[in-house]
Amino acid sequence: MAEQQGLSNIKGVSKEDQQMIEDIETMMGPEPAEMGFVKNTFWGRFESDRVFPYPHEDKEEREQCDALLEKLEAYLKNEHPAIQIDNEQEIPQWVIDRLFEMGVMGMIIPEAYGGLGLGVTSYNRVLELIGYYCSSTAVMVSAHQSIGCKALVMFGNEKQKEEYLPTVAQEELSAFCLSEPNVGSDAANQETTCVESEDGEHFILNGEKKWSTSGAFSALFTVMCKNMVPGEDGELEQKGVNALICTPDMEGVEIFEKNRSKTGIRGTQQARLRFDDVKVPKENLLHERGRGLNVALSCLNYGRCTLSAGVTGAAKRAMNQSTKWVQTRYQFGRPLAEFELVQQKIARMSAYTYAMDALLYLMTGMLDRGDEDIMVETAICKVFCSDYGWKVIDDAMQLMGGEGYVTEHELERIWRDNRIHRIVEGSNDVMKSFIFAYGGKQLAEQMISVQDALLWDPDERAEDNFRRILTAATSPQVLERAIPLGLQLFLGIKPERPSVEGLHPSLDSYAKRLSKLVQQHSHYFKMVSKWEREEIVGRQAQQARIADNAIMLFALTASLSKFDDQLRQGERGPAFERDRAALEYLFSLFEVRIRQGVGELKRNADDAMRRAAETARAHNDTLPNRDYYIHEASPQKGTGRALPTEHVEQFPGEGFEPRGKQEPGGDGVPAGDGAATDEAEANVGA
């Protein structure tokens, strides 16, 4: 049988889809040597040893992190100006200085370079705590370490680390420069370029970047750019993407916009930068020439976890606050919490936050132990925590009613701040297609190879078809793959359920339920591939249904692993009983949703949806562009409505100027915003 080919070889897809698949395959690179946990579930396998027992950091590190958390929480409760940060759209320099002093800004940097050298789990525990109190600060801390200087920690050589890491560990911020006006999810198609200088000593960097968090105040940039080299005809052509270390003092670096006014995380500042013939020393190349996307994708694995940690902290605070509210808010002579629809929201919040916590720290444990194939898992962690964290926060808003919508209770800030997380670090819509495609890629390639070997190809001559099919039909290698697949696709005979092993005996019933769900997930991935054939490439609604099932399966697995750990640790008390009930509800709820998702693979409203979308788009084309905002990189740019600037605060760039140390209370800055009163602490809960 012929060697398995990439998905870009699927016949019958459009040129645009084929090019998209080729670009993604190039960006992702070769498959890791070992298949990760979620990819195995697409095959109907359950790798118990990858998820059981629940991972833990070592005792010494946990104690070190506990001490940091205690000091940090005292600061966040009593001094941190969260309300001021939101109102003034800026994190004061004294706050950043304080975080540097505590070691928070250098957690992931090795001790040899001035950092704390903490692992991924400890780092995310800190981000969760910061997210509980202030999402703007959580995003700023995460952007600095998860993506800003993480590339240098992971891929820098010794000279680069010695030169730059001490500064970003103890004094100055760093920024990640990936997105551009015309580049968002399509990360491989950078427009910023670098070309080797004539003397061979520099890369000449040209282009523009946007959405660089803290870029206007950062002493170090990690910049992604096209690696342009002369081709055979002498013309420049792209050979991959480079990752370059840049600093704001390099000639030709322009910070022309410091920030834009936003709905939430208003304290963070996203800069726009322009590079005009910037001479970057060749020794500032990170990793290997042309392998910059490997750098970017590796960093995003960590950024997707810290984003999840921040929203998990925020969701827990929203849950605690709103539950306290309905326990103490009376209507019709009794607490609101006694009404069943209120109880439904309380139960959902409890189940979702339990799963978010379990999934996040299973994921960080995988990263800490060095699991190689975890890109699908980190994508799931990001999608689940941002989706379900938003559901928790929105339920909390509903429970608090009009009072939740006013500024004083701070819930509306949590609500505004955390809507962004479904958009950034990979839009959830894009991530679901990625989870479907990359999670099932190797299985899909095998299915295609069997199909190519045994099915009639109208593009081939008859004699070539007969020869190929006869050869394949007498090959043990082909038959070993084709017979079970044929029995499943055409006769409905499913492979056996996988064994789920290693759990506490009292959880045996959950293990059996999980095993059945994995079997079902694998079966219907194959079936939808059969039903849709090559059209599956563009059927994102179908892809999302499979991805949603994969996401819920991983969340259930993580929750089961976490509760197994709690049982073995001998936990007892109200929190333990809450978690036991949360697990039970989560399983029942997700089993129903997975069955619904499976049913919709065959019976859905997708055809009507596509017609409705087509006619709505046709109608929209009749509306004049001049009445609406048009994206700056659109082919129709300049035809739309001008952006309002008179009543929206603008943040023009002024170049990089490191701000000096600043003490709380200086320049009219209050030492705290009064958010941590005794009453507020009692309502929010720790």
Side-chain angles (χ1 to χ4, degrees), residues 233-443:
D233 58 359
E235 296 293 320
L236 290 176
E237 60 182 36
Q238 182 180 0
K239 292 290 185 180
V241 170
N242 287 344
L244 301 180
I245 301 170
C246 298
T247 56
D249 57 354
M250 292 178 175
E251 187 176 353
V253 176
E254 179 189 1
I255 301 166
F256 65 94
E257 186 176 64
K258 293 192 298 185
N259 190 25
R260 293 174 74 181
S261 191
K262 300 178 291 295
T263 300
I265 58 166
R266 288 164 61 82
T268 65
Q269 300 210 352
Q270 285 72 38
R272 295 189 69 162
L273 301 92
R274 189 174 290 122
F275 303 98
D276 186 9
D277 287 337
V278 178
K279 296 174 69 176
V280 181
K282 287 187 72 175
E283 56 264 29
N284 282 28
L285 173 69
L286 277 170
H287 195 34
E288 300 172 13
R289 193 163 179 175
R291 296 289 307 281
L293 279 178
N294 182 244
V295 175
L297 293 174
S298 297
C299 290
L300 287 173
N301 284 330
Y302 294 88
R304 285 168 183 159
C305 284
T306 49
L307 177 152
S308 300
V311 72
T312 297
K316 287 180 179 179
R317 181 172 181 178
M319 174 183 68
N320 291 339
Q321 170 62 67
S322 61
T323 304
K324 181 66 70 176
W325 187 270
V326 295
Q327 293 273 70
T328 58
R329 165 73 165 138
Y330 282 66
Q331 288 286 275
F332 307 104
R334 49 183 166 163
L336 290 177
E338 292 189 6
F339 293 94
E340 190 172 61
L341 287 180
V342 172
Q343 292 173 359
Q344 184 184 54
K345 292 179 177 61
I346 294 172
R348 277 202 303 249
M349 294 191 298
S350 180
Y352 293 165
T353 54
Y354 184 79
M356 290 165 67
D357 184 279
L359 184 53
L360 169 63
Y361 292 110
L362 176 62
M363 191 67 257
T364 62
M366 288 179 168
L367 286 165
D368 273 329
R369 73 188 183 204
D371 285 15
E372 184 182 5
D373 190 11
I374 43 77
M375 198 167 288
V376 177
E377 286 80 358
T378 58
I380 285 177
C381 184
K382 186 269 175 180
V383 172
F384 186 85
C385 289
S386 59
D387 264 349
Y388 286 87
W390 171 254
K391 292 177 194 294
V392 169
I393 294 165
D394 197 50
D395 272 348
M397 174 67 77
Q398 190 69 23
L399 289 180
M400 288 187 66
E403 288 290 337
Y405 204 67
V406 300
T407 303
E408 286 88 344
H409 296 297
E410 299 189 71
L411 183 63
E412 62 84 31
R413 187 183 77 242
I414 297 173
W415 193 71
R416 287 187 288 106
D417 282 346
N418 286 279
R419 181 58 182 85
I420 188 64
H421 296 309
R422 294 163 67 189
I423 299 171
V424 296
E425 299 280 7
S427 161
N428 284 9
D429 290 339
V430 175
M431 287 293 95
K432 287 186 180 184
S433 288
F434 169 75
I435 291 163
F436 169 86
Y438 197 53
K441 178 176 181 288
Q442 287 164 290
L443 176 55

Side-chain angles (χ1 to χ4, degrees), residues 2 12 28 60 94 97 125 143-144 228 243 271 313 367 393 420 425 473 489 508 539 553 565 669 683 685:
M28 299 304 300
E60 183 179 349
W94 71 263
D97 294 339
R125 290 179 67 203
H144 169 60
M228 305 300 291
L367 286 165
I393 294 165
I420 188 64
E425 299 280 7
L489 294 180
D508 184 58
R539 295 290 192 248
L553 276 175
D565 185 64
V669 179
N683 284 343

